[in-house]
Amino acid sequence: MYFERMEQYGVEQLVFCYDQKSGLKAIIAIHDTTLGPALGGTRMYPYATEEAAVHDVIRLARSMTYKSAAAGLNLGGGKAVIIGNPVTDKSKELFHAFGRFIETLNGRYITAEDVGTTVADMDFIRQKTKFVTGVSPEFGSGGNPSPFTALGVFHGIRAAALEAFGSAELKGKTIAVQGVGSVAYHLCRYLHEAGAKLIVSDVVQANAERAVLEFGAKAVGVDDIYGVECDIFAPCAMGGIINDDTLPLLKAKVVAGAANNQLREEKHGDQLAARGILYAPDYVVNSGGLINVADEWFGYNRERVLSKVEGIYSQLQRIFEISKQQQIPSFRAADRLAEVRIDKHRV
Ligand code: NAD
């Protein structure tokens, strides 16, 4: 049954890892290594079933292949899941055991943090394998990736503005930002400095208030952000927020933000295009953090990271071009761009 799933998603390798002593139950999915070793974080989550864990790890690994390919990185896509509760089930022994499994793959898979795992966990993994990034700064990490993600989103928004309004200039543009957390706080700073007017919402009132105080933003209720008068809507909280309920409310001409998996279903990407709303594909716009983490692998160089993050601007221009030439919505154009790059390198 798993081979069928692997065929369906094009997965190269699924590795089931079990360690009796520490209780480790982990699955590593190596989706595609055409462009390089498969890089992707380790998620720790109390999956209800093994089936759910397999489904999640395959889906996540596949999206890493596309994200790395579209970001122009020489890396493939992979991901790992540890079945367990990140609050109660962690131990040094568990991450050591996991590190030993990663080491056996001899560099085909490189891990990093994801939901439920931390820098401290990566440091434990590092004691057993070198195939790990996102470790503590003293071991050569580039630190918190959120500011790099934010910078990439900023460049992505500029590229989208150029496409939608004929100018990348954000001065005077009204931008609605949903969620002002780690990424969007920095994003709001860049947007404010560029002269944009900000409207923000956050379920945590203090986060919205901070943007009001520091960047002169206007705060609105969490359900009101979709319908505000604005030029650009920047989703920076959770996924699935472009859906049947929210799409009819949007007044923006552009959707470009940090959140992963913004389209609840593919049809919502089609519908955005049909309504003339330009969608900047999420995994391209938010790849700054990945670019930063990936650079650690090649020997961290901050200048190189900043230059690659700036490249998100031209990468989006290419995607909008493909979208127009092939008359397909931008989210499909991003997939095309990634697939063409991978196919070119496939032997
Ligand atoms: P975060 O948890 O720091 O920030 C999310 C913010 O959204 C929080 O302030 C939270 O209170 C708020 N929020 C949650 N639900 C909301 C709602 N319904 N309405 C309004 N606000 C809401 O997370 P982050 O690291 O800033 O990441 C933001 C998004 O970007 C996530 O989807 C994440 O997967 C994605 N992303 C982050 C990075 C990164 O480098 N951190 C990289 C790529 C993608």
Side-chain angles (χ1 to χ4, degrees), residues 291-311:
I291 290 170
N292 186 58
V293 169
D295 204 77
E296 289 175 25
W297 185 242
F298 303 105
Y300 191 71
N301 179 315
R302 190 181 151 83
E303 293 314 307
R304 180 171 59 207
V305 171
L306 291 174
S307 143
K308 280 191 182 172
V309 171
E310 202 173 320

Side-chain angles (χ1 to χ4, degrees), residues 146 149 179-183 201-204 207 222 236-238 258-260 286:
S146 299
T149 304
V180 203
S182 315
V183 174
S201 74
D202 200 298
V203 284
V204 178
N207 290 356
V222 287
C236 297
M238 350 67 88
N260 277 313
N286 71 20

